[in-house]
Amino acid sequence: MLLSATSANLSPDTWSALKRFTTARIAMGRAGGSLRTANLLDFRLAHARARDAVHAPFSPKVVDAQLGEAGFDFVHAKSTVTDKLDYLLHPERGRILDGDSAEMLLAKSVEWGVRDISIVISDGLSAVAAESHAVAVAKGLRDELGDTFSFYPVVVVPFGRVKIADAVSDILQARLVIILLGERPGLGSPDSLSAYFTYMARNSSVDSDRNCVSNIRPLGMPIPWAVRKLSVLIRESFHRQISGTALKDRLTLDDLQRMLPLN
């Protein structure tokens, strides 16, 4: 005798009350020993969106328009990547500036002089994240830190990896560099932005020299909280002249909620 799909054999999950705290895939219930059809279809949709985010083309013009509207000066630079497939297959090429870009930044460094903070924007592994959130974070940092620190014009680098910020900083001789780029999309988070900053970043810098605030997006780390967390850390970084594993992030979500209530 076949069992019909009724409420009698669709078991609710006892964790369902926790779903109000997270968008993660928890408390989905089950149909017999399997996922419910609706949950399986939702999983496949999220996977498709993540793949689309990785392969979506980056439009620097979108970022340029936002930077211009926010009152930023900016320049374009290039990595040694030729296209999206090259970027995915050869990560090391996204860490290096091409020769023309290096020469351009070297000439600009004479014009700009030595300043405190360089902001780099790249699509990384999610163009939609960079196009949606990067300029808002950059503007927030300028608003929070501009009374104390000087900023270089923003450097927009398509197909960049995190370490390309070291190359930019090495040429400009910036005191601190921060790169805003799209994260590898997770299921349900195709628009997640990361911010990595390094004090006195140079070509010799390594991963342990950096600090990171990740999952910056409306359904993750809200932009105002991310900006405040980064600003507090950057001020401490300048004060102590360190970054990376030596600089501890002690701000909790409760601290941020007290500073900037969002609900």
Side-chain angles (χ1 to χ4, degrees), residues 41 50 52 100 124 147 176 199 221 252:
L41 293 176
D52 287 347
D100 290 343
D147 61 336
L176 183 142
Y199 183 79
M221 171 70 75
T252 66

Side-chain angles (χ1 to χ4, degrees), residues 144-163:
E144 290 253 357
L145 300 171
D147 61 336
T148 307
F149 304 104
S150 57
F151 285 79
Y152 290 88
V154 175
V155 182
V156 180
V157 188
F159 300 132
R161 298 280 178 173
V162 172
K163 188 168 175 55

Side-chain angles (χ1 to χ4, degrees), residues 80-158:
T80 57
V81 171
T82 57
D83 55 32
K84 177 66 78 171
L85 182 60
D86 189 34
Y87 179 79
L88 295 174
L89 294 177
H90 302 283
E92 70 282 358
R93 296 179 184 172
R95 301 178 185 127
I96 305 169
L97 286 168
D98 77 354
D100 290 343
S101 295
E103 290 181 11
M104 178 273 293
L105 287 174
L106 185 59
K108 289 292 187 182
S109 70
V110 177
E111 175 186 336
W112 296 337
V114 177
R115 306 188 190 186
D116 295 317
I117 299 174
S118 174
I119 297 177
V120 179
I121 293 177
S122 184
D123 49 333
L125 287 166
S126 175
V128 66
E131 293 172 7
S132 300
H133 312 314
V135 175
V137 174
K139 183 178 183 300
L141 290 172
R142 184 188 61 188
D143 293 345
E144 290 253 357
L145 300 171
D147 61 336
T148 307
F149 304 104
S150 57
F151 285 79
Y152 290 88
V154 175
V155 182
V156 180
V157 188

